[in-house]
Amino acid sequence: MTRNEELFARAQITIPGGVNSPVRAFRSVGGCPRFFTRGEGANVWDADGKRYLDYVGSWGPLILGHADPDVVLAVQETAAKGLSFGAPTEGEIELAELLVERVPSMEMVRLVSSGTEATMSAIRLARGFTGRDAFIKFEGCYHGHGDSLLVKAGSGLLTFGNPSSGGVPADLAQHTLVLDYNDAAQLHEAFATHGDKIAAVIVEPVAGNMNLIAPKPEFLQAMRDLCTKHGAVLIFDEVMTGFRVGPGSAQGLYGITPDLSTFGKIVGGGMPLGAFGGRRDIMHKIAPLGPVYQAGTLSGNPLSVVAGLVTLNKIATPGFYEALTAKTRGFVSGLSAAAQARGITFSAQSVGGMFGIYFAATPPTSFAEVMQSDKDAFNGFFHAMLDAGVYLAPSAFEAGFVSAVHSDADIAATIAAADAIFATMAKG
Ligand SMILES: *Cc1c(COP(=O)(O)O)cnc(C)c1O
């Protein structure tokens, strides 16, 4: 048994599935999850001492790579002065001011401890603000594990949804309408039918939880126009895309102004932190100003706040996103070219520092299309890359991430590793 296998066997005795978040269990790709002992820059090391180039980055937060020295130092210095107060600190104001300054739609911000809390709270706020219960989400988008959000499409196009998880009351799912991503016509139809009942539309402005799906510009524009027309709140869930696809996040990149936005991942610099915010009149409905309750013992935790502040300041340097975007684009075009030369059915695309790879002829534009990609081919590729020392997300249905510290040599080595695997796949 390897050390990873020993740890996994032991973990499963006391932790359900051996993991504290399901996708870590490698169920989709099979095999034994790697237990990590250390990360530095673009690299991670597992319990057997094997090194991997990491394209997961803790599922997105680590835009500066692992153990960035400035982030680590700031956390250490802050920790020495107290871990939590349950009272306001100046750092929270600085982080709120920074989010308001960088993101076009943000007028006020509330800090929480995870992306899930941010989206759950944004939905409650939108319902409280509009006095309506129903909202629209899109198939394949993930917005954390709040009850109302764990919902799949109902039996008909415009019928309300069914729970996609045990433990979610059907009564709650009944308020969630699940539509197809990138389908503006469906949105028009849904608002025509249910317009006066809809509190909000929540969307990943670039979908990253069903692999990567890029938005059609008319899709985002349609939801903006329809929300305005019908008095619904447009929520951009930027937990993944926030500061990942550009300095103003996805809303800056696509020039759409949502009413509320949610953040997580990068804004916490690798520590637990989320945020939601937006229009001042809507944010005024939150307690203690308004009737919509929301709270958190560890909200605005000083360690999370300082990790986020240092991260957001380090990525504000001129040219940061141009470089990250070019590097990520170079990576996916290198992979595509290698696959094409070997005759493998494969495609790839990127937005800023996030990317999707698909064993499909062209990048998918919806959940249904993603599901048609060749999952077995991905799983074989995933394990061969893992053996070659490249850590990709352990599922065909997740986006990947490039950090600022992945070097040109790292990228070239990854493409070379992929090329060797494509060559084997072509033969086999
Ligand atoms: C990761 C993610 C969440 C959930 O954030 P957690 O911190 O895991 O609770 C919500 N929405 C999107 C788009 C995400 O990518």
Coordinates of all heavy atoms in Angstrom, one line a residue, residues 21 59 113-117 119 142-145 204 206 208-209 237-241 262 264-265 273, ligand 1:
S21 N -15.3 17.1 1.3 CA -16.0 17.7 0.2 C -16.0 16.6 -0.9 O -14.9 16.1 -1.2 CB -15.3 19.0 -0.2 OG -16.2 19.8 -1.0
W59 N -9.1 24.6 -6.1 CA -10.4 24.9 -6.8 C -10.5 26.3 -7.1 O -11.7 26.8 -7.2 CB -11.6 24.3 -6.1 CG -11.5 22.8 -5.9 CD1 -11.0 22.1 -4.8 CD2 -11.8 21.8 -6.9 NE1 -11.0 20.8 -5.1 CE2 -11.5 20.5 -6.4 CE3 -12.3 21.9 -8.2 CZ2 -11.7 19.3 -7.1 CZ3 -12.5 20.7 -8.9 CH2 -12.2 19.4 -8.3
S113 N -18.1 33.5 5.4 CA -17.0 32.6 5.5 C -16.9 31.6 4.4 O -15.9 30.8 4.3 CB -17.1 31.8 6.8 OG -17.0 32.8 7.9
S114 N -17.8 31.6 3.4 CA -17.7 30.7 2.3 C -18.6 31.2 1.1 O -19.4 32.0 1.3 CB -18.2 29.3 2.7 OG -19.6 29.2 2.9
G115 N -18.3 30.6 0.0 CA -19.1 30.9 -1.2 C -20.6 30.5 -1.0 O -21.5 31.2 -1.4
T116 N -20.8 29.4 -0.4 CA -22.1 28.9 -0.1 C -22.9 29.9 0.7 O -24.1 30.2 0.4 CB -22.1 27.5 0.6 OG1 -21.5 26.5 -0.3 CG2 -23.4 27.1 1.1
E117 N -22.3 30.4 1.7 CA -23.0 31.4 2.6 C -23.3 32.6 1.8 O -24.4 33.3 1.9 CB -22.1 31.8 3.7 CG -22.2 31.0 5.0 CD -21.4 31.7 6.0 OE1 -21.8 32.6 6.7 OE2 -20.2 31.3 6.2
T119 N -23.9 32.9 -1.5 CA -25.0 32.7 -2.5 C -26.4 32.5 -1.8 O -27.4 33.1 -2.2 CB -24.8 31.5 -3.4 OG1 -24.5 30.4 -2.6 CG2 -23.6 31.8 -4.3
Y142 N -23.3 25.7 -10.4 CA -23.3 25.3 -9.0 C -23.2 26.6 -8.2 O -22.4 27.5 -8.5 CB -22.1 24.4 -8.7 CG -21.9 24.1 -7.3 CD1 -22.8 23.3 -6.6 CD2 -20.8 24.6 -6.6 CE1 -22.6 23.0 -5.2 CE2 -20.6 24.3 -5.2 CZ -21.5 23.5 -4.6 OH -21.3 23.1 -3.2
H143 N -24.0 26.7 -7.2 CA -24.0 27.9 -6.4 C -23.8 27.6 -4.9 O -24.4 28.2 -4.0 CB -25.2 28.7 -6.6 CG -25.5 29.1 -8.0 ND1 -24.7 30.0 -8.7 CD2 -26.4 28.7 -8.9 CE1 -25.1 30.1 -10.0 NE2 -26.2 29.3 -10.1
G144 N -23.0 26.6 -4.6 CA -22.9 26.1 -3.2 C -24.0 25.2 -2.9 O -24.9 24.9 -3.7
H145 N -24.1 24.8 -1.6 CA -25.0 23.7 -1.2 C -26.2 24.2 -0.4 O -26.8 23.4 0.3 CB -24.3 22.6 -0.6 CG -23.6 22.9 0.7 ND1 -24.3 22.8 1.9 CD2 -22.4 23.4 1.0 CE1 -23.4 23.2 2.9 NE2 -22.3 23.6 2.3
E204 N -23.7 31.7 -13.0 CA -22.3 31.8 -13.1 C -22.0 32.5 -14.4 O -22.2 31.9 -15.5 CB -21.6 30.4 -13.1 CG -21.6 29.6 -11.8 CD -20.9 28.3 -12.0 OE1 -19.7 28.3 -12.1 OE2 -21.6 27.2 -12.0
V206 N -19.4 33.0 -16.1 CA -18.7 32.0 -16.9 C -18.9 30.7 -16.1 O -18.6 30.7 -15.0 CB -17.2 32.2 -17.1 CG1 -16.5 31.1 -17.9 CG2 -16.9 33.6 -17.7
G208 N -18.3 27.3 -14.5 CA -17.0 26.6 -14.2 C -17.2 25.4 -13.4 O -16.3 24.7 -12.9
N209 N -18.5 25.0 -13.1 CA -18.8 23.8 -12.3 C -19.4 22.7 -13.1 O -19.9 21.7 -12.6 CB -19.6 24.2 -11.1 CG -18.8 24.9 -10.1 OD1 -18.0 24.3 -9.3 ND2 -19.0 26.3 -10.0
D237 N -23.1 35.1 -9.7 CA -22.3 34.3 -8.8 C -20.8 34.3 -9.3 O -20.5 33.5 -10.2 CB -22.8 32.9 -8.6 CG -22.0 32.0 -7.7 OD1 -21.0 32.5 -7.2 OD2 -22.4 30.9 -7.4
E238 N -20.0 35.1 -8.7 CA -18.6 35.3 -9.2 C -17.7 34.6 -8.2 O -16.5 35.0 -8.1 CB -18.3 36.8 -9.3 CG -19.1 37.5 -10.4 CD -18.3 38.1 -11.5 OE1 -17.3 37.5 -11.9 OE2 -18.7 39.2 -12.0
V239 N -18.2 33.6 -7.5 CA -17.3 32.9 -6.5 C -16.1 32.3 -7.2 O -15.0 32.4 -6.7 CB -18.1 31.8 -5.7 CG1 -17.2 31.0 -4.9 CG2 -19.2 32.4 -4.8
M240 N -16.3 31.8 -8.4 CA -15.1 31.3 -9.1 C -14.5 32.3 -10.1 O -13.3 32.5 -10.2 CB -15.6 30.1 -10.0 CG -14.4 29.4 -10.7 SD -14.9 28.0 -11.7 CE -15.3 26.8 -10.5
T241 N -15.4 33.1 -10.8 CA -14.9 34.0 -11.8 C -14.3 35.3 -11.2 O -13.5 36.0 -11.8 CB -16.0 34.4 -12.7 OG1 -17.1 34.9 -12.0 CG2 -16.4 33.2 -13.6
T262 N -21.8 37.6 -5.8 CA -21.2 36.8 -4.7 C -19.8 36.5 -5.1 O -19.4 36.3 -6.3 CB -22.0 35.5 -4.5 OG1 -22.1 34.8 -5.7 CG2 -23.5 35.9 -4.1
G264 N -16.0 34.5 -3.5 CA -15.4 33.5 -2.6 C -14.0 33.2 -3.1 O -13.4 34.0 -3.9
K265 N -13.5 32.0 -2.9 CA -12.2 31.6 -3.5 C -11.1 32.7 -3.5 O -10.6 32.9 -2.4 CB -12.5 31.0 -4.9 CG -13.5 29.9 -4.8 CD -13.7 29.0 -6.0 CE -14.4 27.7 -5.6 NZ -15.8 27.6 -6.1
L273 N -13.3 32.5 3.2 CA -13.9 33.8 3.1 C -14.9 33.9 1.9 O -14.5 33.4 0.8 CB -12.9 34.9 3.0 CG -13.4 36.4 3.1 CD1 -12.7 37.1 4.2 CD2 -13.3 37.2 1.8
Ligands
LIG1 C1 -17.1 27.2 -5.3 C2 -18.3 27.8 -5.7 C3 -19.4 28.1 -4.8 C4 -19.3 27.6 -3.3 O1 -18.3 28.1 -2.6 P1 -17.8 27.4 -1.3 O2 -16.8 28.3 -0.7 O3 -17.3 26.0 -1.7 O4 -19.0 27.2 -0.4 C5 -20.5 28.8 -5.2 N1 -20.6 29.2 -6.4 C6 -19.6 29.0 -7.4 C7 -19.7 29.5 -8.7 C8 -18.5 28.3 -7.0 O5 -17.5 28.0 -7.9

